[in-house]
Amino acid sequence: MNSSDSPEGDPNASGAPGASPGDLAAAFRVIDSPQASDDEAGALINAVARSPLSGEAVPLLAASLRSTRSPSRAVLIIRALRGLDAAAGSIPELLRIARGADWDPGRDAWWVALGTLSRLARRAPELAGELRALAEEPGLTEHQASWAAKCAERADAAS
């Protein structure tokens, strides 16, 4: 089977957004629905990021990041925003996740938020200080503290 035969190769497979704003709205009704499985929402997030309407989807992705309580959806949304070079518009939400979200007890979204913030430090030098403070937060495991320190170092170098 070649990639054009697989659903992953077709942005319109499984209800993914097509060429109309109505399709995009329908996709986000699923993405934002707590009843939708993370797999279903994830497939749509990835399809939206690759669709011809991805530019129009940026504000919807940002709103979804603000409202999600799913670590796996947050990770995919952050990556989609980063891939669309639109993560800078979600700095407040990324900081909220990086400071610890009760819906992310395993810190799955935390890892991606910190990495994204360190990349954004080129455009927002004040993030270096935020990341340094996060690296010193109590309650981090040694591995988490090491990652936060590395992100702070990258942010310092970029700013």
Side-chain angles (χ1 to χ4, degrees), residues 38-151:
D38 282 346
D39 288 342
E40 183 180 13
L44 287 170
I45 291 165
N46 289 331
V48 162
R50 291 187 313 266
S51 83
L53 297 175
S54 61
E56 294 175 41
V58 168
L60 298 169
L61 285 165
S64 292
L65 183 59
R66 282 190 299 278
S67 66
T68 191
R69 296 298 171 258
S70 165
S72 62
R73 290 182 201 196
V75 165
L76 292 173
I77 293 167
I78 293 167
R79 288 179 178 161
L81 287 167
R82 196 171 60 202
L84 295 169
D85 198 28
S90 293
I91 288 174
E93 188 58 27
L94 292 168
L95 285 169
R96 186 182 71 79
I97 293 168
R99 290 181 182 125
D102 61 351
W103 50 265
D104 189 23
R107 294 190 182 255
D108 298 325
W110 178 88
W111 297 95
V112 179
L114 254 64
T116 302
L117 288 165
S118 72
R119 292 176 183 194
L120 292 172
R122 276 174 273 156
R123 297 183 204 160
E126 67 279 4
L127 291 176
E130 292 277 354
L131 288 165
R132 281 191 303 277
L134 288 167
E136 297 172 8
E137 289 222 349
L140 296 179
T141 66
E142 186 177 323
H143 188 59
Q144 291 167 340
S146 173
W147 174 245
K150 181 177 182 173
C151 289

